[in-house]
């Protein structure tokens, strides 16, 4: 058995406390950019909803205690003087809490104003326990008191009222309770047999330690003091994983268990790659999930979450690039049935771009909005929104090459030749129509006007790597280096009049652009620059965590601070770095 160990400590301001498979977390984050003074049980079913507020109490006065909150992957603790409250996940839908020297108030996070909003609270006379029913999540949250004294307010109240319970130790504890109290909190769909504790609190914590340690050892066995953020990056992925439920057809790594609690149809690619060697089944699920919702046109959804699938936008076709790397990183090759399914799904996704996203007589496809590119507000989209871009053409070329490879393996040789021919034609059109000799430009799909920008998006054709003519690759590499700040690749040149420190894709450093550019440079032979980009991004994560994006000039983490594709990008680059340090090993790309 993997040796139990606490794992890395982290701040709940940055990373929520959760466990693999759970749809809820413990966090002060209540909504986008909104932080509370107290921790809440926050559900991600039917959206992000704070359900329960947890407040440690002074034992003597019953007032709110000013506590220090600490967290590791297996244990969350509030401490105040000699008193403390501990919380651990017994299972994905159940947490255990134990207190000594402090009490705890558990209340509905928000007051109910009508019978159709907020929370109803009552005691279940059949199964026991105190039950909070949440209209917003459509779930029930049952609190079973295992030891201690309970004071209840608002049971069966309707409309606006306080609802909850306070747990304290018995005034004269017996030998078994030792001045402590303990409760279990379960998330239920409808009903369940009475809760019975079958393990001690210590055993719950130990099991959680073992579960995370085993996952970390599988996903990042190469970690060392030279990759100091690897274990925390693994925790970000492990804890953001949810079980299949609602419209989520497979175990899924959400982008975050803060407010970015969806799977977007290109973010998932980086998570799949990071997980592939050590958690191959989970990695294949990450790659496949958006394809489970592919529509009749072949388009992938913009995003998938528990209760909605959005098709108003798409995301860029990086899935051929991803699948090529994924197949090399998986410990076992895909079998014929899996290859056939991957081929069919990738073919339909590619046909979408070659048919409904190519105007009549056009050689190249177009985006209909910046959101389609994943670079929502990049400056390339300022003059017009419906545009032909070189990054889209480049990703499509890589996808066509992967289709040709799959077709060859499946024995579809004529189809393979067709995909190769289309790849060559698309790349030729990209160069003929969008390359000026010094840069790639963007073209309005209807106006025909062309323009350049100071954005990194114009340089993303470097992802073609070995497929690029050497002169173009060299020019792109030179221009890419100009985007390199002490912390990584700025998505808009800092000297640009459009640069914004917190401008989303108009300046900040992003993980996906970093990985795609680093890989393309390496495959094009520009190893020095690829190494420097990797080094700076790894140091950025080691210093500033795994934010959605980062200020390019200060390194400060921006927006959602627990973003899984950032953690995945760190793991990919850190793994390659770790493997390159082995005696006799040359530098390696993300294929290891």
């Amino acid at each position: 058995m993997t040796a139990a160990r606490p794992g890395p400590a982290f701040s709940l301001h940055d990373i929520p406390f959760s466990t693999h498979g759970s749809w809820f977390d413990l966090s002060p984050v209540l909504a986008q950019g909104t932080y509370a003074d107290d921790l809440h049980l926050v559900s991600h079913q039917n959206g992000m909803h704070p359900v329960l507020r947890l407040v440690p109490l002074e034992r003597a006065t019953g007032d709110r205690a000013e506590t220090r909150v600490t967290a590791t992957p297996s244990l969350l603790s509030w401490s105040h003087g000699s008193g403390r409250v501990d919380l651990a996940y017994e299972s994905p839908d159940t947490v255990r809490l134990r207190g000594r020297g402090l009490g705890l108030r558990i209340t509905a996070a928000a007051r109910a104003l009508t019978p159709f909003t907020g929370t109803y609270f009552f005691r279940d006379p059949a199964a026991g326990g105190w039950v909070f029913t949440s209209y917003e999540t459509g779930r029930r949250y049952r609190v079973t008191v295992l030891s201690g004294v309970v004071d209840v307010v608002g049971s069966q109240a309707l409309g606006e009222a306080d609802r909850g319970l306070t747990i304290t130790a018995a005034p004269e504890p017996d030998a078994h309770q030792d001045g402590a109290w303990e409760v279990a909190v379960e998330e239920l769909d409808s009903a369940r047999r009475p809760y019975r504790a079958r393990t001690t609190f210590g055993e719950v914590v130990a099991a959680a330690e073992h579960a995370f340690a085993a996952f970390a050892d599988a996903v990042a066995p190469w970690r060392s003091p030279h990759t100091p953020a690897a274990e925390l990056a693994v925790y970000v992925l492990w804890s953001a994983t949810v079980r299949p439920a609602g419209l989520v057809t497979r175990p899924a790594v959400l982008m975050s268990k803060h407010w970015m609690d969806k799977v977007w149809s290109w973010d998932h690619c980086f998570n799949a790659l990071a997980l592939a060697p050590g958690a191959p089944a989970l990695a294949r699920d990450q790659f496949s999930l958006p394809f489970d919702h592919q529509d009749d046109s072949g388009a992938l959804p913009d995003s998938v979450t528990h209760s909605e699938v959005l098709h108003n936008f798409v995301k860029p076709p990086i899935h051929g690039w991803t699948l090529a790397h994924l197949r090399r990183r998986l410990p076992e090759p895909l079998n014929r049935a899996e290859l056939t399914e991957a081929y069919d799904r990738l073919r339909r996704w590619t046909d979408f771009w070659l048919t409904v996203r190519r105007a009549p007589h056009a050689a190249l496809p177009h985006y209909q909005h910046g959101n389609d590119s994943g670079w929502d507000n990049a400056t390339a989209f300022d003059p017009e929104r419906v545009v032909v871009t070189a990054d889209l053409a480049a990703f499509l070329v890589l996808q066509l090459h992967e289709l040709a490879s799959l077709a060859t393996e499946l024995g579809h040789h004529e189809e393979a030749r067709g995909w190769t021919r289309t790849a060559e034609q698309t790349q030729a059109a990209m160069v003929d129509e969008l390359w000026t000799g010094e840069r790639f430009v963007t073209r309005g799909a209807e106006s025909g006007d062309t323009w350049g920008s100071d954005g990194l998006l114009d340089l993303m054709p470097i992802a073609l790597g070995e497929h690029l003519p050497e002169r173009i690759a060299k020019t792109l590499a030179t221009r890419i280096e100009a985007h390199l700040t002490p912390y990584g690749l700025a998505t808009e040149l800092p000297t640009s009049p459009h640069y914004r420190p917190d401008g989303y894709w108009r300046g900040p450093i992003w993980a996906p652009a970093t990985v795609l550019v680093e890989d393309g440079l390496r495959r094009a032979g520009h190893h020095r620059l690829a190494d420097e980009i990797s080094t700076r991004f790894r140091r950025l994560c080691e210093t500033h965590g795994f934010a959605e994006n980062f200020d390019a000039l200060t390194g400060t983490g921006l927006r959602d601070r627990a973003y899984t594709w950032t953690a995945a990008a760190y793991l990919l680059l850190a793994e390659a770095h770790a493997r390159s340090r082995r005696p006799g090993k040359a530098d390696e790309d993300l294929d290891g």
Side-chain angles (χ1 to χ4, degrees), residues 485-504:
T485 75
Y487 302 97
L489 291 171
T491 46
E492 182 81 6
L493 283 174
T495 55
S496 164
H498 303 294
Y499 175 86
R500 299 291 181 272
D502 186 9
Y504 227 51

Side-chain angles (χ1 to χ4, degrees), residues 327 336 339 343 401-417 419:
R327 292 204 290 146
R336 186 170 181 85
L339 284 172
Y343 177 67
H401 282 303
E402 180 61 9
L403 280 170
S405 177
L406 290 168
T408 299
E409 289 187 48
L410 292 167
H412 307 323
H413 299 294
E414 185 58 34
E415 292 181 25
R417 286 189 285 272
W419 295 124

Side-chain angles (χ1 to χ4, degrees), residues 57-60 62 99 101-105 145 147-151 165-171 177 179-183:
L57 304 175
E58 294 269 13
R59 182 174 184 176
L102 291 174
L104 183 71
R105 182 180 296 123
V145 179
S147 64
V149 176
V150 183
D151 183 38
L165 64 162
T166 299
I167 309 102
T168 56
Q177 293 183 12
W181 55 262
E182 190 169 344
V183 301

Side-chain angles (χ1 to χ4, degrees), residues 302-331:
D302 183 54
S303 64
V304 178
T305 191
H306 178 273
S307 302
E308 70 175 15
V309 177
L310 298 182
H311 285 278
N312 53 329
F313 296 105
V314 292
K315 283 293 175 277
I318 67 166
H319 301 82
W321 172 86
T322 303
L323 186 57
H325 284 303
L326 183 65
R327 292 204 290 146
R328 288 191 286 270
R329 288 178 60 77
L330 288 169

Side-chain angles (χ1 to χ4, degrees), residues 576 579-589:
R579 297 194 187 284
S580 72
R581 292 178 57 85
R582 291 181 178 177
K585 286 280 187 179
D587 286 349
E588 303 175 32
D589 67 5

Side-chain angles (χ1 to χ4, degrees), residues 113-304:
L113 301 179
T114 75
F116 307 108
T117 62
T119 303
Y120 173 60
F121 175 60
F122 67 99
R123 185 180 185 280
D124 185 343
W130 296 92
V131 179
F132 296 85
T133 67
S134 168
Y135 183 81
E136 286 74 16
T137 70
R139 302 297 183 277
R140 297 172 175 226
Y141 301 84
R142 182 171 70 184
V143 181
T144 301
V145 179
L146 305 178
S147 64
V149 176
V150 183
D151 183 38
V152 175
V153 63
S155 177
Q156 301 185 42
L158 299 178
E160 188 172 2
D162 290 329
R163 296 167 171 81
L165 64 162
T166 299
I167 309 102
T168 56
E172 296 181 4
D174 60 30
H176 298 291
Q177 293 183 12
D178 191 26
W181 55 262
E182 190 169 344
V183 301
V185 180
E186 304 165 273
E187 183 178 57
L188 314 176
D189 285 344
S190 181
R192 186 179 292 177
R193 291 182 181 277
Y195 177 84
R196 297 286 183 269
R198 293 177 171 81
T199 56
T200 67
F201 187 85
E203 290 169 337
V204 169
V205 175
E209 288 180 352
H210 282 297
F212 173 69
F215 189 85
D217 288 345
V219 171
W222 39 263
R223 63 195 188 281
S224 75
H226 299 289
T227 56
E231 199 158 79
L232 187 57
V234 172
Y235 173 74
V236 170
L237 290 167
W238 180 80
S239 64
T241 303
V242 295
R243 297 174 296 175
L247 297 170
V248 174
T249 51
R250 304 163 181 264
V253 181
L254 303 178
M255 291 310 103
S256 173
K257 280 186 180 169
H258 284 328
W259 59 86
M260 299 295 281
D261 56 352
K262 296 185 179 185
V263 176
W264 275 268
S265 292
W266 71 312
D267 309 44
H268 69 112
C269 293
F270 302 93
N271 291 342
L273 291 175
L275 292 167
L282 185 59
R284 292 194 299 269
D285 283 333
Q286 300 325 294
F287 182 77
S288 298
L289 175 59
F291 286 95
D292 292 345
H293 297 279
Q294 196 168 18
D295 70 14
D296 291 342
S297 73
L300 297 184
D302 183 54
S303 64
V304 178

